[in-house]
Amino acid sequence: MNNTCFENFDLKYKYVKGKFLFLSNYFKKKGILDAIDVFNKLDNKSLVCYGNGNIPRGTSMNKNITIKDSVHGKEKFEVYSNCDALIFPSW
């Protein structure tokens, strides 16, 4: 099936290696808790989160999940380039 978005697009990776990026405010409706829940179940993938707000106390997180403050400007581009995939679990 042809997809005009990817017809002449050279994919850098054939699959996602394992470092995922969540870049948003830490609000429930932005899906931060859903992302944490999923990555708690994945031992071979890591999740790096950058944003504003607070994760509720008592939220369980495994060693593959990193929570950081928001980033801006050049630093944001470095964060993008150091991850394999960007996720948007908003609902």
Side-chain angles (χ1 to χ4, degrees):
M1 183 166 135
N2 288 336
N3 183 335
T4 57
C5 294
F6 294 105
E7 190 173 325
N8 296 314
F9 189 75
D10 183 25
L11 293 174
K12 185 175 181 181
Y13 302 107
K14 293 195 185 278
Y15 59 93
V16 175
K17 291 183 178 183
K19 191 171 182 182
F20 290 80
L21 173 64
F22 176 94
L23 191 65
S24 186
N25 291 313
Y26 298 144
F27 300 142
K28 183 179 178 179
K29 69 181 180 178
K30 293 290 188 176
I32 184 64
L33 298 178
D34 297 321
I36 290 170
D37 183 50
V38 168
F39 281 87
N40 273 332
K41 299 171 186 169
L42 301 174
D43 292 332
N44 61 344
K45 307 291 182 201
S46 65
L47 176 65
V48 182
C49 305
Y50 290 87
N52 292 317
N54 296 312
I55 306 294
R57 285 185 194 180
T59 301
S60 175
M61 287 184 268
N62 70 24
K63 63 181 177 12
N64 297 331
I65 300 171
T66 306
I67 304 295
K68 299 187 175 200
D69 290 331
S70 63
V71 291
H72 305 280
K74 246 184 198 179
E75 188 179 7
K76 186 183 285 188
F77 290 107
E78 289 176 25
V79 166
Y80 281 125
S81 67
N82 289 322
C83 290
D84 298 313
L86 179 65
I87 62 169
F88 290 102
S90 297
W91 44 272

